[in-house]
């Protein structure tokens, strides 16, 4: 299958069997040292059962050097993910899409790039899910710019982790879910109906798509269909038909396919299967599957329903049953890679709960924030008439209630765009046939769709959208969850709806589409062909994309292409709103512009990082010291290792003690800065090792990112915080009124729509600029401190949204940029209420030491000084202080809230620290304890509501160490001559006692206390033993002094005897055996003579001693 390039449709070869000249980092072995070690998964936040995150590298336009494509300049790391491994080569079937990098050279976004050129500025977008396994293709995408965008596009890479690959015996990558097919057959796609792409939004690394007729195969991609794999699944294809599960026929087609963060779900006939990928560092235990697992084997499953958002550390999927369990929903939960199902409702079926005999669940929607399950129920009445109801089921209380009964017939709108369903309106003869539901948790918009569209913001009062023709039937909806959605009908028409408006636009087929196609044909675009079939429709980065199968020159290929929504709406507006006016002898063509303004600008935007909660790092590639300046395998391997080590530092930056410098890269270079000039000297003289130079200042954290005159992609609001900006609008047709006050009566009005006005509020101030024919609006979005309790940083956030809209402008206002037109005036921003990600509590050891030294007039550290854990003296009052560190913005300030301090463990050494039980924690820390077990006390009188624990704050009176008789630190045995020491494991938490924030801060750290006193008994015993030893030593000294003369005498006698023995042995003479007798005699005489001489010597010695 040939692949066309963007420029002129040039064919680009695949380069089989030939390595690229300069392969990217994925083709280079991982850095062969500890820099690529996977960090500990402890502390990962903001994921469903694991960790997920984003790394973005943005080119530095201020650098005049030249950099390699894919070797980025800045690195942005989300706190939601922390795991990685070396990149792997992909063998994906390419989509045929081509891109144009910033240098102007067009190449396909393949995994291997031959003769890779140097680009001025590039971006790398790395979506990491557990363990990265593949480096992606180059994507041509530009950052949004309200004034037309940057002059050069900003290519990006996507890296998703494909956990469904493994290395075979021949070291080639192969799929664990089935066998890869390398040929696309036209019958798999031509004239085959399109199908929805279901996955967990912002969470899923691998997408799957079924619907290939009579084949148990799926399309699998880890790059959002920039390239893909056709995989035949290794499932048993069993068909278990029975009297309770009637099946008209058997088919191998995979009808429903849902992808979650780690698990894939499919439905074939009435059976469902799941497969868990290999993500070894995503979870504490590896729960990967060896084969497809059939679940609910005894059930008749008629449909799978997706849940688009994760919640509470889990992801969800729903299976609708038929047959014996009709009226129930099998609710699946995926937590840490483990899949479990439970039958809902728990006690009785939906049919029994709503008091009907015959019903069937057509669709189900799970609202995770409310633990609520909405079901679309089809009911067959006594006269065989059918009607539908929306039923709500509360998973916590097991309460079920009917929310809404859908009318049997379509209302008569009588030319209106929308109609409020009140029960008093008239109806047509067209029956309403509901087929499904869609729910947006950000703005609480519930849509019921079929051959109609009903929308509601409270699930009770519905509005009928009359623009959608009742003769069509909707097959599925594609929601961006950012304020717009696409609608696909049964006959493959594409419609478009802006949330907050009531007008539905037809995109395909339409006259605007014909105009657009004609222009593409003139440009000889390779992404369009006369014979094409749409495979699916999906959103990516807030843009609508099509996956289509093209047949060009009798060759078929799958192409991912952008759906030009803005251009189609502009063409429709031009085509419908023009007037021919006669001026003199000729006609003049004029167009009506319904946009109420000519200029719209966002101003006074704050720095985005504090609201988007995205951490950024600058990570420039190493400098290549070669004349040609190209990167090699060595330089790319070095750069890959540096990036991995940077990610490792980022993930491990979770120490309880606050460091002097609030930056995870500080420890990287702090001991090497003194040699920086030396390495620079080597690089300047081209003498660096490996011809690669790494600049230490090129790796740092970025805290001062500026706003780009656009609203952030999301806003996190803590308790009482706010977000402010201004909107500048220039009116199109002003009306000037003269009078006491000269002002502009402008038709430009700004509306701010809040999804949850009970939780957030917006204030809008207006200033009319008469001389500029403009209006300036100041908008402030604030949290009302009422809709959230406390939560861990980044967890259990409440979803809501803010919609900024210029009245009367939806679908009419566009801005021309160098990337094409862009829709204006309808700005929807998701708002997340709760504890923002990236905030943590840390022990401020620097200020604590300083303050304790001042208050106690002295400071004594341990004998063995540990700079990582300073000691505190037992008899001194201990004044602890804590910091709130913002890992995103770099802000670090004193924690001013209230907290509860508990000793939850301890031991005399680091190796003997034990955790205390709940009962022990109460006895060791509660002021109500009467057992003499308190470890510490304070003079503060503020306690918790149950009076169980003391409440501390930054201005508390300090802690006095007690270590009473029954406490674990009482009577600690010293291990040397120094005073006893003890390590306390301290837990600090503000949950339930601090009303200044939504954050549930919890910090556990070790506190080293020395100088602990001994008990009276042990002190007396030690004193008694010490005194006894001293007295014994004194007595021993006296005895030695008195007995010393005798000892000297004994020593002399002993020395004399030793000398005598030596002299006796030396006087022996030996003879031959024939004269043994003479030998014996001579020996006897000698012995006697020696004895006599000895006596004479001894006697002489005594005489000499007597004289002295």
């Amino acid at each position: 299958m040939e692949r066309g390039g963007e420029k002129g449709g040039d064919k680009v070869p695949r380069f089989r069997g030939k390595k690229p000249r300069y392969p990217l980092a994925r083709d280079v072995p991982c850095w062969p040292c500890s820099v690529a070690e996977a960090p500990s998964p402890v502390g990962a936040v903001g994921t469903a059962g694991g960790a997920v995150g984003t790394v973005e590298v943005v080119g530095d336009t201020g650098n005049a050097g030249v950099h390699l494509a894919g070797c980025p300049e800045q690195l942005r790391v989300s706190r939601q993910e922390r795991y990685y491994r070396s990149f792997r080569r992909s063998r994906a079937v390419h989509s045929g899409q081509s891109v144009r990098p910033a240098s102007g050279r067009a190449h396909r976004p393949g995994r291997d790039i031959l003769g890779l050129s140097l680009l001025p500025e590039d971006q790398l977008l790395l979506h990491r899910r557990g363990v990265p396994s593949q480096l992606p293709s180059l994507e041509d995408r530009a950052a949004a710019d309200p004034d037309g965008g940057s002059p050069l596009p900003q290519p990006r890479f996507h890296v998703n982790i494909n956990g469904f690959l493994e290395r075979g015996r021949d070291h080639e990558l192969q799929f664990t879910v089935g066998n890869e097919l390398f040929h696309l057959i036209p019958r798999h796609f031509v004239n085959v109906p399109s199908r929805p792409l279901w996955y967990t939004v912002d969470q899923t690394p691998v997408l799957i798509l079924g619907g290939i007729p009579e084949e148990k195969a799926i399309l699998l991609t880890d790059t959002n269909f920039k390239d893909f794999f056709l995989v035949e699944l290794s499932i048993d294809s069993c068909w278990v038909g029975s009297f309770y599960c009637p099946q008209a026929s058997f088919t191998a087609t995979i009808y429903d396919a849902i992808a979650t963060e780690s698990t894939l779900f499919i439905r074939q006939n009435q059976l469902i299967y799941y497969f868990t990928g290999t993500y070894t560092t995503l979870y504490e235990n590896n729960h990967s599957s060896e084969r497809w697992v059939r679940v609910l084997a005894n059930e008749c499953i008629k449909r799978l329903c997706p849940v688009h958002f994760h919640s509470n550390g889990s992801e969800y999927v729903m299976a609708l049953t038929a047959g014996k369990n009709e009226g129930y929903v099998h609710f699946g939960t995926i937590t840490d890679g483990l899949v479990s199902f439970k039958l809902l409702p728990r006690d009785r079926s939906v049919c029994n709960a709503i008091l009907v005999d015959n019903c069937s669940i057509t669709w189900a929607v799970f609202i995770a924030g409310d633990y609520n399950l909405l079901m679309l129920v089809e009911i067959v009445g006594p006269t065989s008439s059918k009607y539908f109801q929306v039923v709500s089921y509360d998973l916590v209380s097991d309460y079920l209630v009917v929310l809404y009964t859908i009318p049997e017939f379509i209302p008569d709108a009588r030319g209106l765009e929308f109609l409020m369903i009140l029960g008093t309106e008239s109806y047509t003869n067209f029956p309403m046939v509901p087929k499904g539901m869609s729910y947006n948790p950000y703005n609480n918009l519930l849509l019921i769709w079929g051959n109609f569209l009903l929308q509601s913001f409270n699930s009770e009062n519905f509005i009928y959208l009359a623009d959608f023709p009742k003769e069509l039937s909707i097959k599925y909806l594609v929601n961006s969850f950012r304020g717009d959605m696409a609608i696909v009908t049964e006959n493959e028409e594409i419609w478009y709806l802006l949330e907050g408006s009531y007008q539905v636009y037809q995109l395909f087929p339409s006259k605007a589409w014909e105009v657009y196609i004609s222009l593409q044909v003139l440009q000889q675009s390779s992404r369009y062909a006369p014979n094409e079939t749409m495979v699916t429709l999906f959103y990516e980065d807030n843009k609508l994309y099509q996956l289509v199968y093209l047949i060009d020159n009798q060759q078929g290929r799958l192409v991912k292409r952008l759906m030009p929504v803005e251009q189609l709406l502009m063409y429709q507006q031009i085509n419908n709103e023009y007037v021919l006016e006669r001026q003199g002898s000729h006609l003049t063509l004029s167009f009506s512009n319904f946009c109420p303004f000519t200029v719209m600008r966002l101003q006074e935007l704050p720095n985005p990082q504090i609201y988007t909660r995205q951490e950024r790092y600058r990570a420039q590639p190493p400098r290549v010291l070669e004349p040609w300046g190209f990167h090699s395998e060595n330089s790319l391997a070095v750069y890959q290792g540096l990036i991995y080590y940077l990610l490792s530092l980022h993930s491990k930056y979770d120490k309880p003690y606050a460091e002097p410098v609030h930056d995870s890269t500080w420890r990287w270079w702090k001991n090497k800065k003194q040699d920086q000039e030396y390495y620079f000297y080597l690089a300047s003289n081209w003498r660096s090792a490996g011809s690669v130079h790494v600049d230490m200042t090129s790796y740092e954290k970025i805290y001062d990112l500026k706003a780009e005159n656009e609203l952030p992609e999301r806003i996190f609001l803590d308790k009482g915080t706010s977000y402010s900006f201004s909107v500048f609008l220039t009116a199109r047709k002003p009306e000037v009124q003269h009078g006491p006050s000269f002002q502009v009566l402008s038709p430009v009005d700004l509306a701010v729509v809040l999804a949850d006005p009970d939780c957030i509020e917006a204030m809008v101030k207006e200033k009319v600029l008469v001389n500029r024919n403009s209006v300036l609006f100041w908008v402030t979005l604030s949290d009302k401190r009422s809709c959230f309790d406390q939560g861990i940083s980044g967890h259990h956030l409440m979803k809501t949204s803010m919609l900024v809209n210029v009245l009367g402008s939806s679908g009419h206002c566009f801005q021309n940029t160098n990337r094409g037109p862009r829709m204006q005036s309808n700005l929807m921003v998701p708002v997340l209420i709760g504890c923002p990600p990236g905030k943590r509590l840390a022990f401020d050891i620097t200020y604590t030491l300083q303050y304790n030294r001042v208050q106690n007039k002295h400071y004594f550290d341990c004998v063995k000084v540990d700079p990582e854990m300073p000691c505190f003296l037992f008899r001194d009052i201990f004044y602890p202080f804590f910091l709130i560190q913002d890992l995103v913005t770099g802000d670090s300030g004193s924690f001013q809230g209230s907290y509860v301090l508990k000793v939850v463990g301890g031991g005399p050494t680091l190796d003997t620290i034990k955790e205390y039980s709940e009962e022990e924690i109460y006895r060791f820390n509660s002021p109500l304890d009467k057992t003499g077990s308190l470890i510490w006390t304070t003079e503060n009188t503020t306690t918790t509501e149950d009076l169980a624990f003391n409440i501390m704050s930054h201005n508390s009176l300090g802690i006095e160490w007690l270590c009473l008789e029954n406490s674990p630190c009482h009577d600690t045995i010293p291990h040397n001559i120094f005073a006893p020491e003890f390590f306390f494991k301290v837990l600090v938490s503000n949950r339930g006692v601090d009303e200044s924030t939504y954050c549930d801060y919890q910090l556990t750290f070790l506190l080293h206390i020395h100088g602990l006193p001994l008990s009276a008994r042990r002190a007396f015993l030690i004193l008694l033993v010490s005194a006894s030893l001293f007295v014994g030593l004194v007595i021993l000294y006296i005895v030695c002094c008195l007995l010393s003369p005798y000892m000297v005498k004994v020593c002399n006698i002993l020395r004399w005897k030793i000398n005598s023995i030596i002299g006796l042995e030396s006087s022996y003479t030996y003879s031959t055996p024939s004269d043994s007798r003479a030998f014996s005699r001579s020996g006897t005489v000698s012995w006697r003579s020696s004895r006599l001489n000895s006596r004479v010597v001894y006697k002489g010695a005594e005489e000499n001693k007597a004289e002295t």
Side-chain angles (χ1 to χ4, degrees):
M1 186 175 67
E2 297 188 10
R3 298 162 179 80
E6 170 66 18
K7 187 174 181 179
D10 297 334
K11 306 290 179 62
V12 181
R14 187 174 174 82
F15 306 111
R16 296 185 182 272
K18 182 177 181 181
K19 292 185 179 180
R21 180 182 178 187
Y22 299 107
L24 291 178
R26 64 187 180 279
D27 300 322
V28 183
C30 187
W31 187 261
C33 62
S34 61
V35 297
E37 292 180 355
S40 171
V42 177
V45 295
T47 63
V52 64
T54 303
V55 179
E56 181 174 359
V57 181
V58 184
D60 184 6
T61 57
N63 191 344
V66 184
H67 310 291
L68 177 67
C71 291
E73 297 279 339
Q74 287 181 346
L75 185 61
R76 179 183 69 186
V77 184
S78 168
R79 289 287 294 177
Q80 298 178 341
E81 214 303 27
R82 316 181 166 194
Y83 313 106
Y84 42 85
R85 85 160 74 119
S86 59
F87 294 137
R88 298 177 180 173
R89 185 191 305 273
S90 170
R91 300 173 291 112
V93 180
H94 193 263
S95 63
Q97 180 185 6
S98 64
V99 296
R100 187 182 304 276
S103 64
R105 292 186 54 183
H107 62 81
R108 62 180 180 87
R111 301 305 176 110
D112 299 330
I113 303 177
L114 185 64
L116 189 62
S117 61
L118 298 179
L119 308 183
E121 293 89 27
D122 295 316
Q123 294 185 344
L124 173 73
L125 182 63
L126 170 62
H127 293 291
R128 291 176 298 125
R129 305 290 192 277
V131 184
S133 58
Q134 301 190 5
L135 191 69
S137 309
L138 190 66
E139 178 188 9
D140 194 13
R141 183 178 65 180
D145 188 283
D147 296 324
S150 57
L152 292 176
Q154 300 178 9
R156 300 184 180 185
F157 284 108
H158 278 271
V159 174
N160 284 334
I161 294 81
N162 195 333
F164 305 95
L165 288 172
E166 65 178 2
R167 290 194 179 275
R169 295 180 180 178
D170 55 352
H171 300 289
E172 288 291 330
L173 290 179
Q174 61 186 15
F175 283 96
T176 58
V177 296
N179 300 318
E180 183 179 358
L181 304 177
F182 295 95
H183 299 286
L184 299 179
I185 303 176
R187 67 177 178 85
H188 291 165
F189 303 98
V190 176
N191 297 326
V192 175
S194 66
R195 47 274 195 194
L197 183 65
W198 288 338
Y199 57 93
T200 306
V201 177
D202 296 331
Q203 202 75 13
T204 305
V206 176
L207 305 180
I208 59 174
L209 186 66
I212 299 177
E214 301 304 326
E215 296 287 345
K216 56 178 182 180
I218 59 173
L219 290 174
L220 186 148
T221 178
D222 55 11
T223 58
N224 292 345
F225 288 104
K226 291 179 67 62
D227 48 26
F228 54 87
F229 311 93
L230 181 61
V231 182
E232 183 181 18
L233 304 183
S234 55
I235 57 177
D236 49 19
S237 299
C238 183
W239 179 35
V240 185
S242 63
F243 68 93
Y244 66 84
C245 188
Q247 290 283 334
S249 61
F250 170 80
T251 178
T253 307
I254 305 298
Y255 282 109
D256 298 332
I258 300 175
T260 65
E261 183 180 36
S262 61
T263 308
L264 307 179
F265 291 87
I266 62 170
R267 179 181 70 88
Q268 184 190 49
N269 298 307
Q270 83 282 7
L271 300 177
I272 60 175
Y273 303 81
Y274 74 86
F275 195 103
T276 302
T278 302
Y279 296 95
T280 55
T281 58
L282 184 59
Y283 311 120
E284 294 182 359
N285 298 316
N286 185 19
H287 304 295
S288 60
S289 303
E290 296 182 357
R291 61 182 63 89
W292 284 94
V293 180
R294 188 198 306 172
V295 65
L296 305 176
N298 297 324
E299 298 291 337
C300 184
I301 306 301
K302 63 181 180 181
R303 175 175 290 133
L304 289 179
C305 292
V307 178
H308 295 288
F309 291 92
H310 68 88
S311 178
N312 307 316
S314 300
E315 295 170 284
Y316 309 97
V317 66
M318 294 175 290
L320 306 184
T321 63
K324 64 178 182 179
N325 283 327
E326 187 79 55
Y328 287 93
V329 175
H330 288 281
F331 189 76
T333 304
I334 306 98
T335 305
D336 293 339
L338 297 177
V339 179
S340 62
F341 279 87
K342 61 181 177 181
L343 196 64
L344 298 177
R346 290 189 287 267
D347 297 332
R348 52 181 178 172
S349 69
V350 174
C351 303
N352 295 334
I354 61 178
L355 304 177
V356 297
D357 296 330
N358 190 0
C359 75
S360 175
I361 301 177
T362 303
W363 200 272
V365 171
F366 178 61
I367 306 175
D370 300 330
Y371 292 93
N372 194 20
L373 185 64
L374 296 182
M375 294 168 285
L376 180 62
V377 181
E378 179 184 359
I379 303 171
V380 180
T383 60
S384 298
S385 61
K386 297 181 180 180
Y387 63 98
F388 294 83
Q389 289 183 339
V390 179
V391 179
S392 172
Y393 173 71
D394 193 307
L395 275 68
V396 178
S397 63
D398 196 31
Y399 177 71
L400 191 144
V401 62
V402 177
L403 294 181
Y404 184 71
T405 300
I406 300 175
E408 295 186 21
F409 298 97
I410 293 180
D412 186 5
R414 304 189 181 204
L416 300 177
E417 289 185 352
F418 66 94
L419 186 66
M420 188 76 181
I421 305 297
L422 300 175
T424 59
E425 56 279 348
S426 59
Y427 293 88
T428 64
N429 295 327
F430 280 84
M432 269 192 171
V433 185
K435 298 178 64 176
M437 297 188 300
S438 176
Y439 182 78
N440 188 344
Y442 289 108
N443 57 6
N444 305 320
L445 177 62
L446 175 65
L447 280 169
I448 304 175
W449 47 267
N451 60 341
F452 62 92
L453 274 174
L454 288 178
Q455 73 175 24
S456 174
F457 290 96
N458 59 4
S459 303
E460 295 179 2
N461 302 313
F462 284 83
I463 297 175
Y464 169 67
L465 302 183
D467 278 354
F468 185 78
K470 54 184 176 296
E471 295 81 10
L472 300 178
S473 180
I474 297 175
K475 181 162 54 175
Y476 59 90
L477 297 184
V478 184
N479 202 327
S480 69
F481 301 102
R482 294 296 300 270
D484 58 342
M485 67 178 64
I487 303 168
V488 180
T489 64
E490 293 289 351
N491 58 351
E492 304 300 336
E493 293 187 8
I494 302 176
W495 294 68
Y496 181 76
L497 172 66
L498 279 172
E499 297 181 6
S501 66
Y502 306 103
Q503 189 173 359
V504 186
Y505 304 92
Q506 184 178 5
L507 301 182
F508 171 83
S510 63
K511 293 183 178 180
W513 179 263
E514 295 176 358
V515 172
Y516 180 77
I517 289 296
S518 300
L519 295 176
Q520 295 301 315
V521 171
L522 291 176
Q523 297 176 3
Q524 298 182 358
S525 174
S526 62
R527 302 181 186 179
Y528 298 87
N531 190 358
E532 62 182 38
T533 301
M534 184 174 70
V535 179
T536 190
L537 198 68
F538 61 95
Y539 275 94
E540 178 188 348
D541 296 326
N542 303 324
K543 295 183 179 296
L544 186 62
Y545 286 89
Q546 275 184 308
L547 183 65
V548 294
Y549 185 78
L550 305 179
I551 296 181
D552 191 11
N553 297 329
Q554 297 182 352
Q555 292 185 350
R557 55 195 173 98
L558 276 175
V559 173
K560 172 189 173 183
R561 68 189 186 194
L562 181 66
M563 189 69 179
V565 177
E566 292 83 0
Q567 288 177 298
L568 295 178
L569 294 180
M570 286 183 62
Y571 295 161
Q572 284 187 9
Q573 182 175 334
I574 295 174
N575 184 69
N576 297 333
E577 308 298 338
Y578 66 90
V579 177
L580 289 175
E581 297 180 352
R582 179 170 297 276
Q583 294 184 359
S585 60
H586 60 276
L587 295 176
T588 302
L589 181 65
S590 63
F591 297 92
S592 299
N593 195 329
F594 291 94
C595 184
F597 57 85
T598 58
V599 176
M600 179 179 180
R601 287 199 304 266
L602 298 178
Q603 301 175 349
E604 303 178 57
L605 293 166
N607 291 344
Q609 285 180 284
I610 190 174
Y611 297 100
T612 60
R613 313 305 301 170
Q614 291 173 333
E615 299 184 56
R616 289 175 175 251
Y617 291 88
R618 184 182 307 276
Q620 296 181 0
R623 178 184 172 188
V624 180
L625 303 178
E626 296 290 348
W628 48 84
F630 286 92
H631 281 267
S632 62
E633 288 191 1
N634 292 335
S635 63
L636 292 176
V638 170
Y639 186 54
Q640 180 180 354
L642 292 171
I643 293 297
Y644 277 20
Y645 190 62
L646 177 63
L647 297 178
S648 177
L649 290 175
H650 166 79
S651 62
K652 294 178 181 179
Y653 189 70
D654 195 18
K655 297 183 178 181
Y657 281 53
E659 293 186 337
V661 179
H662 184 33
D663 191 342
S664 56
T665 63
W666 171 68
R667 288 185 174 272
W668 193 353
W669 310 109
K670 70 182 184 70
N671 296 327
K672 302 177 183 178
K673 287 289 186 181
Q674 58 185 1
D675 302 326
Q676 182 177 2
E677 295 183 356
Y678 170 72
Y679 290 117
F680 178 76
Y681 167 78
L682 293 179
S684 301
N685 292 274
W686 295 56
R687 295 182 178 273
S688 297
S691 298
V692 174
H693 172 63
V694 178
D695 188 3
M696 301 178 188
T697 60
S698 300
Y699 296 82
E700 60 182 354
K701 200 166 186 178
I702 299 175
Y703 297 114
D704 57 349
L705 187 69
K706 303 302 180 182
E708 297 179 352
N709 293 326
E710 64 177 357
L711 293 177
E713 55 184 330
R714 67 182 65 89
I715 295 176
F716 288 87
L717 290 182
D718 198 357
K719 196 170 190 176
T721 57
S722 60
Y723 179 83
S724 301
F725 62 98
S726 63
V727 181
F728 177 84
L729 296 172
T730 299
R732 183 172 298 277
K733 294 180 179 180
E735 298 178 4
V736 182
Q737 179 184 13
H738 299 275
S741 61
F742 182 80
Q743 62 180 357
V744 174
L745 298 178
S746 172
V748 177
D749 292 316
L750 187 71
V752 179
V753 182
L754 304 179
D756 295 281
D758 295 334
C759 304
I760 55 178
E761 61 180 355
M763 295 183 61
V764 181
K765 295 182 180 180
E766 177 185 10
K767 181 180 181 181
V768 178
L769 306 176
V770 179
N771 58 340
R772 303 177 62 181
N773 191 28
S774 303
V775 184
L776 184 63
F777 297 93
W778 287 281
V779 182
T780 301
L781 177 69
S782 305
D783 172 68
K784 297 178 70 172
R785 300 174 172 260
S786 59
C787 289
F788 198 83
D789 188 10
Q790 279 183 302
I792 302 175
S793 177
H795 284 264
H796 311 295
L797 301 171
M798 176 184 173
K799 295 182 177 67
T800 183
S801 66
M802 172 187 66
L803 176 64
V804 179
N805 185 23
V806 180
L807 298 183
S809 63
S810 296
H812 300 299
C813 298
F814 305 92
Q815 180 188 23
N816 291 320
T817 69
N818 61 353
R819 303 286 295 174
R822 190 181 66 175
M823 193 175 300
Q824 283 187 311
S825 77
N826 204 70
L827 307 177
M828 188 267 196
V829 182
V831 180
L832 300 171
I833 301 176
C835 183
K839 281 192 172 184
R840 75 183 190 106
L841 186 68
F843 182 38
D844 190 358
I845 185 63
T846 304
Y847 187 71
T848 299
L849 288 174
Q850 178 183 353
Y851 190 84
N852 278 265
R853 181 180 289 107
V854 172
Q855 293 296 320
N856 296 316
K857 310 301 182 184
H858 61 261
Y859 171 70
F860 298 106
D861 205 344
C862 289
V863 177
K864 295 182 179 179
V865 178
D866 183 2
E868 298 289 336
M869 189 187 303
C871 295
F872 295 92
L873 192 61
F874 177 86
R875 69 171 182 264
D876 290 343
I877 301 298
F878 177 61
Y879 301 91
F881 291 91
F882 301 93
L883 289 175
I884 296 298
Q885 290 186 335
D886 194 326
L887 302 178
V888 177
T889 63
D891 295 335
S892 182
S894 176
F895 177 53
Q896 303 293 322
S898 303
Y899 61 91
V900 174
L901 186 146
K902 303 176 185 177
V903 177
V904 297
T909 63
L910 290 174
D911 298 331
T912 59
I913 294 177
K914 59 168 291 188
E915 302 285 340
Y916 299 149
S917 63
E918 292 294 333
E919 179 184 357
E920 290 175 330
I921 293 175
Y922 178 84
R923 290 192 295 108
F924 298 158
N925 299 274
S926 176
L928 301 179
D929 176 68
K930 304 299 182 183
T931 62
S933 303
L934 278 179
I935 294 178
W936 62 278
T937 186
T938 180
E939 296 183 3
N940 292 343
T941 58
T942 308
T943 60
T944 56
E945 294 182 358
D946 56 358
L947 307 179
F949 300 100
N950 291 300
I951 297 179
M952 310 285 291
S953 65
H954 69 286
N955 53 3
S956 296
L957 300 178
I959 291 174
E960 179 183 357
W961 301 108
L962 298 179
C963 290
L964 296 184
E965 183 178 0
N966 295 323
S967 64
C969 57
H970 178 73
D971 196 18
T972 302
I973 301 176
H975 297 281
N976 45 43
I977 62 174
F978 302 108
E981 300 177 351
F982 206 88
F983 293 87
F984 291 112
K985 190 174 184 179
V986 180
L987 171 66
V988 175
S989 174
N990 70 330
R991 182 165 185 82
V993 298
D994 184 16
E995 298 182 354
S996 63
T997 178
Y998 287 138
C999 291
D1000 179 7
Y1001 293 123
Q1002 289 191 5
L1003 172 65
T1004 303
F1005 64 97
L1006 294 179
L1007 193 61
H1008 193 182
I1009 303 297
H1010 70 115
L1012 274 70
L1014 301 174
S1015 64
R1017 181 179 177 181
R1018 188 174 300 277
F1020 177 74
L1021 178 62
I1022 293 176
L1023 177 62
L1024 182 62
V1025 172
S1026 301
S1028 301
L1029 290 175
F1030 177 76
V1031 172
L1033 291 175
V1034 172
I1035 294 175
L1036 180 62
Y1037 177 75
I1038 295 174
V1039 170
C1040 291
C1041 291
L1042 294 176
L1043 297 179
S1044 60
Y1046 301 97
M1047 294 299 295
V1048 171
K1049 183 177 180 181
V1050 171
C1051 290
N1052 290 333
I1053 293 173
L1054 181 62
R1055 184 177 58 181
W1056 170 80
K1057 288 185 177 181
I1058 293 173
N1059 293 332
S1060 298
I1061 294 173
I1062 294 174
L1064 177 63
E1065 293 180 352
S1066 63
S1067 63
Y1068 283 123
T1069 59
Y1070 299 91
S1071 62
T1072 62
S1074 62
D1075 199 8
S1076 61
R1077 186 174 181 181
F1079 172 79
S1080 175
R1081 180 183 302 175
S1082 175
T1084 303
V1085 173
S1086 300
W1087 178 81
R1088 291 177 179 175
S1089 175
S1090 175
R1091 184 177 181 186
L1092 180 61
N1093 294 334
S1094 299
R1095 291 178 179 175
V1096 173
V1097 172
Y1098 179 74
K1099 184 176 181 181
E1102 288 184 347
E1103 292 177 355
N1104 294 334
K1105 183 177 180 181
E1107 290 177 359
T1108 58

